[in-house]
Amino acid sequence: VGIGARAMGMAGAFTAVSDDASGAYWNPGGLVRMKDTQFAVMSGSPYVARFPKTLSGSPSNMSAQILKNFGSIGFVTTKWKPWAAGWTMVRSFHPESLVPWQENYQQGTFVLPLNTARTAGLGINVKFLSSDIEYEKSVAAISSGSFSRLGKVSGWAMDVGGVYTIPMPVRDRYRQINFGIMARNLVGRKTVGNTETEIPREAQLGLAFMFDDLVPRERSLLSLDLHQALMAELGARSQQLRIGYE
């Protein structure tokens, strides 16, 4: 789903931006540009499509939309310079699924600038997942509407992200280009009951252009993201192109 009102308002095209407290989720490397301590809180009840179709392509017998009550809280601080560090907790509850279940996710973030100008940064997220229940999500189970409980879930994963900024001032106008890269769940494992499995990986590439607006002292931001994910449950790859403007 993603976290952060600003990032979600930009369609999740935040890999090359990632300069506020919610940026730890999108790309921890971008936090190198923060200059203070920030807190972020978010809650909502978005509808999340989980099982839109069966293997044959026909609609599933179950509803394709599952209500997900969602909340997050976190902070990032630059108090321990040159490092930046943060913590994020996300909790979600799925009351409308066939088997209601709750999911907890916690993340520690560590960021290191790669130069004294802080225009380049490398960040790492260390994440821990726990859930009170997990149930079968195979296509056959979705089609028949019968789900079997597989047990409690626990897991860990690590993200690695980086950002590089190129200032481009032109006379009395300001220009800046950001490049971002993020490897989500680069390493990690998930245990369901007594079975250990890999966590699906995702790669993100981002490009952002910041420029002076026509209004004095106002700046606009245009960002572009490409997300490449491996959906292990369906055995297929998924690509998303996201565009955001601020």
Side-chain angles (χ1 to χ4, degrees):
V1 176
I3 65 174
R6 180 178 174 223
M8 298 301 291
M10 296 176 66
F14 216 60
T15 303
V17 183
S18 189
D19 57 0
D20 60 23
S22 69
Y25 173 88
W26 300 97
N27 184 356
L31 301 178
V32 71
R33 292 166 296 182
M34 285 185 52
K35 299 180 180 179
D36 52 12
T37 299
Q38 293 187 14
F39 291 85
V41 178
M42 178 179 177
S43 65
S45 298
Y47 280 89
V48 182
R50 297 184 64 88
F51 311 121
K53 294 181 180 180
T54 63
L55 186 62
S56 64
S58 59
S60 167
N61 292 337
M62 286 193 63
S63 171
Q65 306 291 335
I66 296 180
L67 181 61
K68 179 177 182 179
N69 295 332
F70 174 86
S72 68
I73 184 171
F75 76 94
V76 176
T77 181
T78 58
K79 181 178 179 180
W80 302 289
K81 291 182 178 179
W83 287 82
W87 170 82
T88 305
M89 182 180 71
V90 179
R91 176 168 291 183
S92 58
F93 181 60
H94 306 251
E96 298 299 319
S97 62
L98 188 62
V99 182
W101 58 288
Q102 180 174 290
E103 186 176 59
N104 300 303
Y105 158 88
Q106 297 195 47
Q107 166 181 295
T109 302
F110 308 91
V111 189
L112 178 67
L114 299 181
N115 58 11
T116 56
R118 303 181 76 89
T119 56
L122 179 68
I124 297 175
N125 290 329
V126 180
K127 307 183 294 186
F128 298 92
L129 169 71
S130 64
S131 178
D132 56 359
I133 192 169
E134 176 78 355
Y135 53 89
E136 186 181 2
K137 303 188 189 71
S138 67
V139 174
I142 297 167
S143 300
S144 63
S146 61
F147 289 71
S148 59
R149 299 189 182 210
L150 302 180
K152 292 186 177 181
V153 178
S154 62
W156 69 275
M158 185 174 71
D159 307 332
V160 178
V163 163
Y164 182 64
T165 299
I166 304 177
M168 303 177 63
V170 179
R171 295 183 182 178
D172 59 340
R173 296 287 182 179
Y174 183 82
R175 303 285 188 274
Q176 175 178 302
I177 295 180
N178 300 338
F179 300 93
I181 184 170
M182 167 78 161
R184 190 179 300 280
N185 302 329
L186 182 63
V187 294
R189 306 290 291 182
K190 180 174 71 172
T191 301
V192 182
N194 297 321
T195 304
E196 190 176 78
T197 61
E198 292 187 358
I199 297 178
R201 299 179 179 89
E202 181 179 80
Q204 301 171 199
L205 295 175
L207 176 67
F209 180 49
M210 182 181 292
F211 54 95
D212 281 347
D213 212 336
L214 296 178
V215 180
R217 304 181 65 85
E218 293 290 336
R219 290 179 179 174
S220 296
L221 176 65
L222 178 65
S223 61
L224 178 69
D225 264 28
L226 176 63
H227 292 217
Q228 173 73 58
L230 175 62
M231 301 174 62
E233 293 175 359
L234 301 180
R237 292 186 179 273
S238 172
Q239 288 183 338
Q240 291 184 346
L241 180 63
R242 305 181 181 187
I243 300 175
Y245 179 78
E246 179 185 54

